[in-house]
Amino acid sequence: GGKWAITPGWEAGTSVEDLQWSPSEATVFASADCNKNISIFDVRKTGSPMLAHKAHESDVNVISWNRNVTNLLASGSDDGVFSVWDLRMFGKDPLARFTTHTTPITSLEWHPTDESMIVVSDESAVFVYDLSVEEDAEEIAKTNALAEDENAIPAQLLFLHAGSVSNKECHWHPQIPSLVMTTALTGFNVFIPSNL
């Protein structure tokens, strides 16, 4: 018979909510936990992460590693915030931080071929963002005027799919551009946003 070899791993000290393998480094993975942290590990070094950062003000529920721009990692938390991190500057402020969601972020996933698009679900809806969209001077003035309103609609929001109850997962189809599949308490949905 065969034998099993057990390699000591890592202790997070809290519930680990999500794991993602690096799309470019075979031995590297990221974790999201209930202590508000995102950590980056290398399986060749057990015991502690290579990088760790308090990324949110509440539990980090989900993470997604961008397969096209491998230094970008997105994260979503219980307080409805989702952020985009540049791992070359991990530990500093995120590249982008979206506070428009009012319920916990339950899933997020980068588009398989478009490096700037991401689908995000919270408990009440599913959202498609294009992070390459930039505001012009007039929009920036409006944004500054609305800065007090954290729930203002960001220019990067392209599409919102509502009507499901308690969304859980959202995923891009790997071969059909812009096709999204979602799961929820009320069942599942498959759709292509009309403006993509």
Side-chain angles (χ1 to χ4, degrees), residues 10-42:
W10 305 267
E11 269 195 47
T14 187
S15 174
V16 174
E17 298 297 301
D18 201 3
L19 296 170
Q20 288 273 308
W21 284 107
S22 166
S24 59
E25 301 289 330
T27 61
V28 175
F29 67 94
S31 72
D33 68 43
C34 285
N35 277 346
K36 310 170 188 174
N37 297 314
I38 297 173
S39 300
I40 309 296
F41 294 90
D42 189 318

Side-chain angles (χ1 to χ4, degrees), residues 15 38 41 55 60 84 87 120 149 161 170:
S15 174
I38 297 173
F41 294 90
V60 184
V84 176
L87 295 177
V120 178
D149 183 8
H161 174 73
C170 58

Side-chain angles (χ1 to χ4, degrees), residues 101-121:
H101 300 266
T102 58
T103 60
I105 304 296
T106 58
S107 182
L108 44 76
E109 184 175 80
W110 290 99
H111 193 279
T113 59
D114 187 328
E115 64 189 29
S116 63
M117 289 187 62
I118 189 167
V119 62
V120 178
S121 66

Side-chain angles (χ1 to χ4, degrees), residues 137-157:
E138 185 178 310
E139 289 172 338
I140 290 172
K142 286 181 190 175
T143 300
N144 289 341
L146 294 172
E148 308 297 315
D149 183 8
E150 286 196 346
N151 295 321
I153 297 172
Q156 295 82 3
L157 180 60

